[in-house]
């Protein structure tokens, strides 16, 4: 994903953020607010911003700057580590089904809400795991 300029994100438009897209060319926000990775923060790890903007990463990726790929990779790894931590916490609380449903609903908000509908394969995978989406 990162080598193609794609970052994993939560927030108002969750899922994937295509940093090479022209929409990011003048977007002066960090990849994901609250993320403490080196791409999103000023280096102190507190997630308060001050990192590389989407616009800067867009320009770096368009110019094949290898640092941009490294920064997006670092962000994606930090995102996955945080997601895994949240999954572990849900398992410990015996609430993984609720977590999975909430995550999927957040990632796939539906076309009526400006997002995508939940793909059939996701519904089928959840059902196979005993986690019905419509609960």
């Amino acid at each position: 994903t990162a080598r193609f300029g794609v970052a994993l994100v939560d927030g108002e438009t969750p899922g994937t953020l295509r940093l090479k897209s022209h929409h990011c060319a003048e977007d002066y926000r960090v990849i994901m607010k609250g993320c403490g990775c080196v791409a999103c923060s000023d280096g102190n790890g507190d997630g308060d911003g001050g990192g590389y903007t989407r616009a800067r990463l867009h320009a770096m990726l368009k110019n094949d700057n290898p640092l941009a790929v490294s920064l997006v990779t670092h962000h994606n790894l930090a995102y996955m580590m945080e997601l895994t931590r949240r999954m572990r916490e849900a398992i410990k609380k015996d609430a993984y089904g609720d977590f999975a449903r909430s995550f999927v609903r957040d990632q796939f908000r539906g076309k009526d809400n400006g997002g995508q509908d939940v793909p059939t394969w996701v519904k089928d995978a959840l059902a196979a795991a005993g986690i019905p989406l419509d609960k």
Side-chain angles (χ1 to χ4, degrees):
T1 47
R3 68 186 172 143
F4 299 112
V6 177
L8 305 173
V9 294
D10 286 332
E12 56 194 55
T13 54
T16 55
L17 173 64
R18 294 174 185 356
L19 291 163
K20 284 187 175 182
S21 166
H22 71 278
H23 298 296
C24 290
E26 294 185 18
D27 188 341
Y28 298 100
R29 296 174 293 166
V30 294
I31 296 172
M32 191 173 85
K33 185 178 180 182
C35 178
C37 78
V38 296
C40 296
S41 72
D42 54 12
N44 61 14
D46 63 8
D48 67 350
Y52 289 82
T53 66
R54 295 173 181 189
R56 184 165 182 199
L57 288 166
H58 170 85
M60 292 169 71
L61 287 162
K62 287 293 192 177
N63 288 305
D64 295 321
N65 186 326
L67 176 60
V69 174
S70 293
L71 290 166
V72 178
T73 297
H74 192 278
H75 167 79
N76 286 347
L77 289 170
Y79 176 89
M80 293 302 294
M81 288 172 61
E82 175 60 20
L83 177 61
T84 302
R85 186 196 62 74
R86 293 177 9 220
M87 292 167 71
R88 274 195 310 268
E89 288 301 313
I91 290 167
K92 287 179 186 176
K93 295 176 182 174
D94 197 27
Y96 184 74
D98 293 334
F99 170 84
R101 276 187 286 276
S102 175
F103 181 80
V104 168
R105 286 184 185 128
D106 191 45
Q107 293 290 311
F108 301 100
R109 295 183 177 181
K111 291 180 182 166
D112 293 340
N113 297 317
Q116 296 177 327
D117 291 332
V118 179
T120 302
W121 71 267
V122 173
K123 292 177 187 176
D124 292 346
L126 287 171
I131 305 171
L133 190 56
D134 56 359
K135 181 178 177 186

